[in-house]
Amino acid sequence: MFDFQAKPDSNLPSYTNEVYRRQADAWRYLDDVYEGDSAWTKLDGDGLKHSTKRSRIYLPQEYGEEDYDYDYRLRMSIFIDKFGQSVRDFVGLIFNNGIRLTDVPGEVMASWDDLDGNGLPGTKLAASLAISALRRGHTFNLVDYPQHDSAVQSLRDFLASGRHPIWTPISPLQVLNWRTVSHGSRKRLAQVTIAVLQSQPDGLYGEKTEVQYLTLVPGAWFKQRIIKPQTPGEKPKVQLVGQGLMGRVVRGQVIPFDHIPLVCIYGGDRRGFFESSPTLKSLADLNVGHYQILSDHRQKMHRCCFPQAVRTGGNGEDLVLGPKTIVDVPLGGAFGWQSPETSSLAMSRREILDYESQMDFLGADYLVKPGDRQAAATTQVQAAKIESELYLFASDFVAGLN
């Protein structure tokens, strides 16, 4: 989605700080596993699945395996989205009864049914934020507001305009760098840069996107683009494309905020400021391992499903098999059928079942599908574990929303 520098330059808004770089690869990995094999394969006009550069990360190519044979094996490989389904199941359990708002100002209640400014209700927007936080470890929400309109002079004008605060979900991959200041024992956000995709006209009918960089400080914002150098040795240039104030309008005057309205919503263990450990990463790892083992198992089945013709003797000429054919066996030779050794199939099948059992244990099946529970004692322990994790996640999520 965003193409950032391999060697970050702290003088450019595209700079990614150390905390971001520590987590970015894990976020991309978790996003891929959540999306499934469509993240590392492509469908061409022939309707067949083809490999991409990322395919070999999740389904390694065997030594000596030709690209054509690899693509054939890739098409036979099935990815079961256990990680993605568990994330959705967990969030579904939390939001099963919706969101109950208490002691909420009337202005917030009035905008709850259109919280993103595009008609999305607050409950669905909050569920989307929860999915993002649980799958990556944390996510962000920017509380924004339409730009100041000088035509709004009275309460009647304001009500007629339909203007209200809006929530804008921000992926942690977009929050590139930040600065903090300390207030006692707490850190407070003093500056943050967010990468955003800006649409631009392309010809008469087309549209293209450009990465721009939105920097927020208390009470103000400015947006920049980076102009790539045209000649070797030239440095990139930064161009300002917009700026403005963030604050409240009181009697026609904009009173700047003393804070940045960007909220971090945690869905995993907090490791620091804007840093977390994704709760379900182990499940994602198991999901990829299951994908690889299942692929191997299907290849074994494909190659061992029929006995092989074996001929002893002869001059190496081609052997034709089929109805109304005769196999000419030379003197002292033999012909027969040899069944492949299939004992490894049982072992790989057992390994697949072991992986599926571990994925069930880390996933939400014990709560979502009570009929699948096998051992009562194990179920009680796992249910308590899941309920504890859900409680911690829900508590952090509510704190972020508040």
Side-chain angles (χ1 to χ4, degrees), residues 107-123:
E107 295 84 351
V108 175
M109 292 295 297
S111 60
W112 185 252
D113 291 335
D114 180 25
L115 202 53
D116 70 338
N118 293 310
L120 190 66
T123 300

Side-chain angles (χ1 to χ4, degrees), residues 175-193:
V175 183
L176 308 182
N177 58 72
W178 55 89
R179 291 178 177 174
T180 60
V181 293
S182 297
H183 285 262
S185 60
R186 298 186 62 182
K187 287 185 177 180
R188 188 173 180 180
L189 190 62
Q191 178 179 303
V192 62
T193 301

Side-chain angles (χ1 to χ4, degrees), residues 110-242:
S111 60
W112 185 252
D113 291 335
D114 180 25
L115 202 53
D116 70 338
N118 293 310
L120 190 66
T123 300
K124 290 186 177 180
L125 183 58
S128 176
L129 287 167
I131 287 175
S132 178
L134 186 58
R135 107 184 183 214
R136 299 186 181 105
H138 65 269
T139 193
F140 294 91
N141 184 49
L142 177 64
V143 182
D144 204 351
Y145 199 86
Q147 289 189 357
H148 175 59
D149 185 358
S150 59
V152 178
Q153 297 290 334
S154 65
L155 178 60
R156 177 182 294 180
D157 295 337
F158 173 77
L159 295 175
S161 69
R163 293 161 59 85
H164 61 77
I166 55 177
W167 287 11
T168 304
I170 303 292
S171 163
L173 281 166
Q174 295 176 249
V175 183
L176 308 182
N177 58 72
W178 55 89
R179 291 178 177 174
T180 60
V181 293
S182 297
H183 285 262
S185 60
R186 298 186 62 182
K187 287 185 177 180
R188 188 173 180 180
L189 190 62
Q191 178 179 303
V192 62
T193 301
I194 303 169
V196 295
L197 287 176
Q198 193 73 35
S199 297
Q200 303 286 350
D202 185 19
L204 294 176
Y205 306 103
E207 189 177 58
K208 59 184 178 181
T209 56
E210 176 191 49
V211 179
Q212 296 184 356
Y213 302 91
L214 175 66
T215 299
L216 307 177
V217 296
W221 63 270
F222 50 94
K223 188 182 289 185
Q224 300 168 303
R225 67 158 61 99
I226 295 178
I227 301 175
K228 295 182 179 180
Q230 301 298 319
T231 58
E234 184 183 0
K235 292 185 176 181
K237 296 181 180 179
V238 179
Q239 181 184 36
L240 182 67
V241 296

Side-chain angles (χ1 to χ4, degrees), residues 72-358:
Y72 180 75
R73 181 162 65 93
L74 185 70
R75 293 185 195 112
M76 294 183 64
S77 302
I78 299 174
F79 182 84
I80 300 173
D81 64 336
K82 184 67 176 182
F83 170 71
Q85 189 58 54
S86 293
V87 170
R88 293 186 290 271
D89 285 345
F90 277 133
V91 173
L93 288 169
I94 294 173
F95 284 82
N96 188 41
N97 296 318
I99 296 179
R100 182 167 55 90
L101 301 176
T102 58
D103 300 328
V104 175
E107 295 84 351
V108 175
M109 292 295 297
S111 60
W112 185 252
D113 291 335
D114 180 25
L115 202 53
D116 70 338
N118 293 310
L120 190 66
T123 300
K124 290 186 177 180
L125 183 58
S128 176
L129 287 167
I131 287 175
S132 178
L134 186 58
R135 107 184 183 214
R136 299 186 181 105
H138 65 269
T139 193
F140 294 91
N141 184 49
L142 177 64
V143 182
D144 204 351
Y145 199 86
Q147 289 189 357
H148 175 59
D149 185 358
S150 59
V152 178
Q153 297 290 334
S154 65
L155 178 60
R156 177 182 294 180
D157 295 337
F158 173 77
L159 295 175
S161 69
R163 293 161 59 85
H164 61 77
I166 55 177
W167 287 11
T168 304
I170 303 292
S171 163
L173 281 166
Q174 295 176 249
V175 183
L176 308 182
N177 58 72
W178 55 89
R179 291 178 177 174
T180 60
V181 293
S182 297
H183 285 262
S185 60
R186 298 186 62 182
K187 287 185 177 180
R188 188 173 180 180
L189 190 62
Q191 178 179 303
V192 62
T193 301
I194 303 169
V196 295
L197 287 176
Q198 193 73 35
S199 297
Q200 303 286 350
D202 185 19
L204 294 176
Y205 306 103
E207 189 177 58
K208 59 184 178 181
T209 56
E210 176 191 49
V211 179
Q212 296 184 356
Y213 302 91
L214 175 66
T215 299
L216 307 177
V217 296
W221 63 270
F222 50 94
K223 188 182 289 185
Q224 300 168 303
R225 67 158 61 99
I226 295 178
I227 301 175
K228 295 182 179 180
Q230 301 298 319
T231 58
E234 184 183 0
K235 292 185 176 181
K237 296 181 180 179
V238 179
Q239 181 184 36
L240 182 67
V241 296
Q243 61 182 335
L245 298 176
M246 292 189 302
R248 285 189 189 85
V249 178
V250 179
R251 296 179 182 176
Q253 298 294 322
V254 178
I255 308 300
F257 288 142
D258 61 356
H259 63 280
I260 299 174
L262 180 70
V263 179
C264 184
I265 300 174
Y266 290 91
D269 296 333
R270 301 190 193 191
R271 297 170 55 186
F273 195 88
F274 289 179
E275 188 173 11
S276 64
S277 178
T279 301
L280 297 180
K281 183 180 180 299
S282 296
L283 179 57
D285 294 339
L286 286 171
N287 208 161
V288 174
H290 178 270
Y291 173 58
Q292 296 170 354
I293 294 169
L294 183 58
S295 174
D296 292 342
H297 183 73
R298 287 175 63 85
Q299 287 296 300
K300 292 177 186 177
M301 290 181 61
H302 181 65
R303 284 168 171 73
C304 296
C305 60
F306 296 109
Q308 300 295 317
V310 178
R311 178 181 62 180
T312 304
N315 298 319
E317 65 273 11
D318 291 340
L319 183 63
V320 179
L321 299 177
K324 299 181 181 181
T325 59
I326 297 174
V327 178
D328 186 12
V329 180
L331 186 65
F335 173 82
W337 296 90
Q338 181 68 45
S339 296
E341 175 59 48
T342 58
S343 60
S344 64
L345 281 173
M347 296 303 295
S348 64
R349 177 59 181 161
R350 180 176 178 180
E351 188 175 17
I352 290 171
L353 293 175
D354 288 344
Y355 263 78
E356 290 175 352
S357 177
Q358 292 179 65

